[in-house]
Amino acid sequence: MNSSNTLCPAGQGFNRPFSRIYAEREALRHPRAGQILDAFPSSRVVIIDHYKDVFNRSHQSFYLQKHSQALILAVKKGTLIYPGAPFCQDFGNSNFYYTSNIMNCVYDCEYCYLQGMYPSGNLVVFLNLTDTFEEVLKLLEHHPVYLCVSYDTDLLALEGITGFVRDWIIFAKEHPDLKLEIRTKSTAFSRIADLAPCKNVILAWTLSPAAAARYEHNTPSPALRLQSALSALHAGWPVRLCFDPLLLLPDAAAMYREFVEEVFSVLPGDKILDLGVGPFRISAEYLKRIRKSRPDCAILSYPFETAGGVASYDRAGMRALTDYVCGLAAKHMDADKIYRYEEDE
């Protein structure tokens, strides 16, 4: 698998991403391990007993590790499927779950909650994907399942390394009672473009105004993301858009007005499956940790309000910005297809 266009560039004075690969002994026995290691022939491979021996070490710098990520190959034990997180939208679906076949992301968004949730900026790939499939099958014995597989990473951005998205799509085609959401900021639709569209697999692009995207380091530009989403639409895939998180930046009204116009000048609103809109929100504890590691981050220095352990903009400002963006989008698509995050979700 060619991984050349999926990795963050190495920063000055830092090693190339994935120049170090840690691999659990058990993970090395997995067929996918060989495929991944073959993609990085010059990387140093370190054999370990358990991924937490590396990932959970104390005194790590998430921020610095993002400049030179190590890759950790592991086998996940215990629970593999979790009830949908309260910070996430269910888009009207019942039986909402998520799973994390990969921990962390190749992108480096300054506002990302992962840097407050994880002790390490390194990337963990759990190779036992079929075990996750088995847990999904057990759930499907009782009810349909809505499953988000790309919240704690960007699965499509890593498709050239793992091939997980392709396997999820093939699995979903065999189980029509399973609905998948695969969320991304990547332009990697081309890696699955040979697959026939699957009506129960939603490809969801997170889009941001250019001014907000300045805080989304190493991500493709919003314009390139739009073109990737357009390619998926033309190929017949269900495409979701996510304006999330909304950021209260200077001249936010003008910024989001221009942004919404740009989005729907490229994407036909009547062809979009639906749209999710939500303001910036984060665990107050995560925010505290991130501010320690990124003290110079302007967007995180805002005097957020905290309620119920969640930090966000003041309630009135949050509602006003969400109302405004939803109203702009409703000029281009059916308002019933616009889902807004509510504080009590």
Side-chain angles (χ1 to χ4, degrees), residues 84-337:
F87 289 113
C88 304
Q89 292 176 286
D90 60 16
F91 290 87
N93 293 280
S94 56
N95 305 314
F96 170 32
Y97 299 89
Y98 79 96
T99 188
S100 299
N101 302 125
I102 297 177
M103 294 168 63
N104 265 330
C105 183
V106 291
Y107 300 140
D108 184 24
C109 299
E110 292 187 25
Y111 54 76
C112 181
Y113 68 91
L114 295 178
Q115 56 195 326
M117 184 169 77
Y118 293 143
S120 172
N122 294 321
L123 197 82
V124 182
V125 176
F126 295 112
L127 301 182
N128 53 323
L129 183 61
T130 55
D131 290 340
T132 308
F133 292 166
E134 290 299 321
E135 281 207 17
V136 174
L137 291 176
K138 291 176 183 176
L139 288 172
L140 288 172
E141 292 176 359
H142 303 285
H143 50 65
V145 170
Y146 173 62
L147 181 65
C148 296
V149 300
S150 192
Y151 271 148
D152 294 341
T153 190
D154 192 315
L155 216 57
L156 191 57
L158 291 159
E159 183 64 6
I161 296 172
T162 68
F164 282 172
V165 171
R166 179 175 296 269
D167 287 353
W168 270 116
I169 292 170
I170 292 171
F171 178 74
K173 285 183 177 180
E174 298 171 350
H175 303 284
D177 283 343
L178 170 64
K179 184 189 294 186
L180 289 184
E181 187 212 64
I182 301 171
R183 192 171 297 200
T184 188
K185 291 180 182 174
S186 79
T187 56
F189 171 71
S190 59
R191 293 197 175 275
I192 57 169
D194 61 305
L195 295 175
C198 183
K199 64 180 181 180
N200 55 318
V201 175
I202 301 165
L203 302 179
W205 268 269
T206 297
L207 301 173
S208 307
R214 290 182 304 177
Y215 301 100
E216 300 173 350
H217 305 296
N218 304 316
T219 63
S221 70
L224 290 176
R225 291 181 230 172
L226 278 172
Q227 289 302 318
S228 193
L230 182 62
S231 295
L233 266 182
H234 284 165
W237 287 84
V239 171
R240 168 174 292 156
L241 303 182
C242 301
F243 300 167
D244 191 350
L246 302 180
L247 298 176
L248 199 58
L249 298 178
D251 300 318
M255 177 182 72
Y256 279 105
R257 182 175 65 249
E258 294 172 7
F259 164 67
V260 172
E261 290 301 317
E262 178 186 6
V263 167
F264 290 105
S265 70
V266 175
L267 301 177
D270 61 332
K271 303 297 183 183
I272 298 299
L273 175 68
D274 52 33
L275 165 66
V277 181
F280 175 78
R281 58 207 181 272
I282 191 171
S283 158
E285 187 60 33
Y286 291 174
L287 178 61
K288 182 180 178 180
R289 295 175 193 166
I290 298 170
R291 282 173 166 170
K292 286 183 178 180
S293 64
R294 279 191 129 128
D296 58 343
C297 179
I299 57 172
L300 295 180
S301 64
Y302 189 93
F304 298 109
E305 292 186 355
T306 299
V310 178
S312 188
Y313 302 115
D314 66 273
R315 185 165 300 220
M318 185 168 66
R319 283 187 175 277
L321 182 58
T322 305
D323 287 346
Y324 179 66
V325 173
C326 288
L328 293 172
K331 297 177 182 178
H332 302 276
M333 61 183 295
D334 189 339
D336 290 339
K337 294 183 177 181

